[in-house]
Amino acid sequence: MTIASTVELTPGQVDLALLRRIHAGGLRLTLDPSVQAGLRAAQAAVQHIVDNDEVVYGINTGFGKLASTRIGNDHLAELQRNLVLSHSVGTGEPLDAAVVRLVLATKAVSLARGHSGVRPALVDALLTLFNAGITPSIPCKGSVGASGDLAPLAHLACVLIGEGEATTAEGRRVSGAEAMRLAGLAPFVLGPKEGLALLNGTQVSTALALAGLFGAENVFASALMSGALSLEAIQGSIKPFDARIHAARGQPGQMAVAGAMRTLLEGSEIVPSHADCGRVQDPYSVRCIPQVMGACLDNLAHAARVLVIEANAASDNPLVFVDTGEVISGGNFHAEPVAFAADILALAIAEIGAIAERRIALLLDTGLSGLPPFLVHDGGLNSGFMIAQVTAAALASENKSLAHPASVDSLPTSANQEDHVSMATFAARRLGDMVNNTAVVVGVEAMCAAQGIELKRGLKSSPLVEAEFTAIRGKVAFLERDRYLAPDIEAMRLWALKAALPAVLLNILPSHAKEL
C-alpha cells in the first residue's frame, strides 16, 4: 500500500505545481497552523454582529433579491441550512474525483484566508474529507459562474450537514451522513454566514479550468513530440527552428518551442541525410510549429497565472475584515477571470489539435510527403490511415465549435439582481471534452508519423525521438495491412494524455516551470 505524502497548505501561497499534484491524487493535506488565529478572529467578528443585533447581509438577512429581509437570531441556523438545501439543484453526471479534490482543497484555502467568518472546524472538515478519499457528489451542470458556483458548491456543503451523497475512496456511493461518519466527523449545524461562505466562491469553475489546463499541458507536450516524429517521417527541415529566427521576433513561447524542437531532434541521422534534397520549404503545419505552438504555450502560461491567483483567492461575499471589524459586500464571487482563462485555454487546445490534424493530412498525401498513399502498402486493397484522418478531422472540427467563447454569454438570474454572469463553469467544463478530442488527434498523428518513419526505415532519428518511437511501437504495431484500428486509436489517445515525455518538453510547461 502506498503511503500518501503530506503537504501543508498555506493560503495565498499554493502554487501550480502543488495544484497539479492535488489533481493527480496521492496526497494528504494539512493547513498551515498560522491561519488559525485569523479564522477565529473573523468568526468572532461575525458572532459580534449577531450578538449586537446588527443587520448585515448574509449573516442575518435573506439572500440575493431577498437581501432586505431581516432574519431573527433564533432562525439563523435554519437560514443557513435552508440556503444549502435550496441551492442543491445541480444536474448531470458527477464531477470527476480529481476535480472534486481540487474543489475541496481550494475551498479550504479560500475560507482559510480569514475573510469568511467560518469556524476553523469547518475548514478542517473539508481537509478531513479530502484525506479520507471521500468526494462529495457534485453534478456537473447548473452554475452560471456568478454569486459563485452556487449549485455545485451547495452539493459539497450538503455532505457537511449530513445530506446529499458522496463517493468513498473505494468507489462506493454513500449518503452524506454516512460519508461524514466514515471520515470520523459529525454533521455540522451551520453557524451564521457559514452556509453562504461555503456556497459563494469560484472553486468549482477554477477546479474545472485547472483540470483543463493540466490536460492541455499534456497534449501540448505530446503534440511537440508527434510534430517531431512527423518532421522526420517527411524528412522535413530543421532550419525553421534556428534560434536566430525566433529571437528576431521575441515571443517567449515561440522561442521556447523552437528550442525544445531543436533539442528533440539533436543527433538525428535523418536530418542531415536530406540536406540537399531540393525541397525549399515545408508546409506551415511543420515549418510554423514554433509560431503556432509557441502562441498556445503563451496562452497556457497566461491562463495558469490567472488560475493560480484564483485558487488562492477569497471569493466569498460578504468579506470580513478583522482589522476594522467591517463586513463588506462586493462581488469576488463573479468568475469572469476564470471564464476568460478557460476561453483562452479552449483556443489553445483547439489549435494544438488543428495543426496536428493538418500534419496527419500531410503524412497521408503522397504528393507532399513522398510516402506511400495513406501510409500503407498495397493501397486500394488497403485503406491504411485514410479514415483515421477523418476521425481526426471530425474532432478538430468539433473543437472549433466548442472553442466559441463562453464568457461573451450572460443570462440574468435571481429576478435580475444577478444581471450579468460569467458562464465560467461551462467555459471550464467543456475543456475536458476538448482535451480528449485533441488527445485523439495528436495520438493519431504520432501513430501515422511512426508508420511513416518505419516505411522509410534506414537511418535513425535522434535518441529522444527514437525512444518515443519505441514506446509507441509498444502500444501499436506497424500497419502491414488493414486491421481493426479503434483499439490503436484509444491506446494513442492515452499516450497523448500521459505527458511522460522528455524533460525538455515538460520543463516548458507552466505547472513544471519554476516561475510563471
Side-chain angles (χ1 to χ4, degrees), residues 430-455:
R430 73 20 163 119
L431 298 178
D433 285 342
M434 295 185 70
V435 165
N436 269 304
N437 287 345
T438 293
V440 172
V441 177
V442 170
V444 169
E445 182 198 358
M447 179 169 60
C448 289
Q451 180 85 358
I453 288 173
E454 197 157 356
L455 284 167

Side-chain angles (χ1 to χ4, degrees), residues 57-397:
Y57 171 71
I59 295 176
N60 46 22
T61 72
F63 308 104
K65 197 74 170 180
L66 302 174
S68 59
T69 304
R70 172 75 162 84
I71 308 298
N73 287 0
D74 55 337
H75 290 294
L76 294 187
E78 183 182 4
L79 172 70
Q80 297 298 315
R81 180 178 177 84
N82 286 349
L83 177 71
V84 172
L85 295 175
S86 68
H87 285 53
S88 299
V89 294
T91 188
E93 293 298 312
L95 296 177
D96 289 343
V99 172
V100 179
R101 282 196 294 270
L102 282 170
V103 175
L104 287 168
T106 55
K107 192 68 196 179
V109 166
S110 179
L111 296 178
R113 289 292 299 271
H115 294 297
S116 295
V118 303
R119 286 168 287 173
L122 201 63
V123 182
D124 293 339
L126 292 168
L127 297 184
T128 299
L129 290 173
F130 181 100
N131 292 333
I134 291 172
T135 53
S137 182
I138 301 176
C140 66
K141 298 180 182 181
S143 174
V144 296
S147 277
D149 289 313
L150 292 172
L153 288 172
H155 285 274
L156 167 65
C158 267
V159 174
L160 291 171
I161 64 173
E163 300 287 347
E165 293 184 320
T167 302
T168 67
E170 299 75 29
R172 189 162 56 94
R173 193 78 169 262
V174 296
S175 69
E178 176 68 2
M180 293 291 279
R181 188 191 69 78
L182 290 172
L185 298 167
F188 280 85
V189 176
L190 297 175
K193 194 182 176 296
E194 288 184 333
L196 184 62
L198 287 167
L199 269 58
N200 271 334
T202 62
Q203 287 76 41
V204 172
S205 52
T206 300
L208 284 164
L210 284 166
L213 169 66
F214 301 144
E217 287 185 317
N218 291 356
V219 296
F220 174 89
S222 298
L224 291 186
M225 178 58 78
S226 66
L229 286 160
S230 291
L231 183 143
E232 291 287 68
I234 68 163
Q235 297 184 341
S237 173
I238 64 166
K239 288 181 181 179
F241 307 121
D242 189 304
R244 293 168 293 183
I245 294 173
H246 308 288
R249 193 179 205 181
Q251 295 288 354
Q254 179 177 326
M255 292 187 288
V257 168
M261 293 296 288
R262 290 194 302 273
T263 301
L264 279 182
L265 294 163
E266 187 175 349
S268 169
E269 297 174 359
I270 299 173
V271 166
S273 72
H274 55 85
D276 301 317
C277 67
R279 183 188 295 171
V280 177
Q281 291 181 327
D282 294 320
Y284 288 2
S285 60
V286 173
R287 193 190 344 157
C288 296
I289 286 174
Q291 288 80 6
V292 175
M293 295 294 281
C296 292
L297 180 60
D298 286 336
N299 276 343
L300 296 185
H302 171 72
R305 283 190 290 270
V306 172
L307 295 175
V308 167
I309 292 170
E310 197 67 16
N312 284 279
S315 52
D316 183 13
N317 182 64
L319 293 179
V320 179
F321 295 92
V322 296
D323 53 344
T324 63
E326 292 177 277
V327 179
I328 307 174
S329 282
N332 278 4
F333 49 61
H334 199 295
E336 194 80 350
V338 181
F340 279 158
D343 283 345
I344 288 168
L345 286 171
L347 294 175
I349 294 164
E351 281 298 272
I352 293 165
I355 194 170
E357 187 279 325
R358 287 294 79 205
R359 289 192 297 267
I360 298 170
L362 167 62
L363 288 162
L364 270 58
D365 187 337
T366 187
L368 291 173
S369 69
L371 294 162
F374 303 109
L375 301 173
V376 70
H377 297 302
D378 296 326
L381 177 62
N382 294 291
S383 295
F385 292 95
M386 179 191 297
I387 308 304
Q389 186 263 332
V390 172
T391 294
L395 297 180
S397 182

Side-chain angles (χ1 to χ4, degrees), residues 376-378 382 384 451 478-485:
V376 70
H377 297 302
D378 296 326
N382 294 291
Q451 180 85 358
F478 178 79
L479 188 69
E480 188 63 46
R481 60 182 60 86
D482 285 348
R483 65 170 182 259
Y484 185 49
L485 278 178

